[in-house]
Amino acid sequence: MELEALERRIRRLEDLEEIKQLKARYAAYCDANYDADALAELFTADAVWDGGRLGRSEGREAIRQFFRGSSQRISFAIHNMLNPLIEITGDTATGTWYLLQTCTYTNGNQAVLGAATYHDQYVRENGVWKFRHVRIESHFWTPFEEGWARI
């Protein structure tokens, strides 16, 4: 194998791992009481976070403000990010991930189970992968006692 081809393969593997680590940090910061400052730094200055029914935030500062209020709505969360499909083209990439989340809504202290699909766009800025656009496609959010079959 040519050295150049080997370098491309290694770069692709490193990029995949860096994007997976970016998504893991996103989940960890959400699960750490929605650490708004840490979350905001994962996004480009002009990024979009589109949570569908949860709202849409444009720009890093708007994303920071959205996450500052999240702990008032959700007192506990565990984001399980599953089955990543990541496509890389140079310094940009796309990814889809399944989300299986347990959480507690503060309103009524309600245990909730949710499932969604994340549709992400990434860009490498100054050698670091960041989110450019995050869109969440919700499948269900249901009280734990009821389950998802009644939806």
Side-chain angles (χ1 to χ4, degrees), residues 26 34 36 49 51 54-57 60-73:
Y26 172 90
Y34 293 94
W49 185 92
L54 298 173
R56 180 182 168 99
S57 300
R60 181 184 293 137
E61 291 313 309
I63 292 167
R64 183 187 320 274
Q65 292 310 312
F66 170 80
F67 282 116
R68 279 205 174 120
S70 293
S71 62
Q72 281 77 49
R73 294 182 299 274

Side-chain angles (χ1 to χ4, degrees), residues 110-130:
Q110 178 66 61
V112 173
L113 180 63
T117 302
Y118 274 88
H119 302 276
D120 298 340
Q121 296 174 15
Y122 316 98
V123 64
R124 187 186 349 245
E125 276 190 348
N126 300 317
V128 177
W129 285 101
K130 294 196 174 211

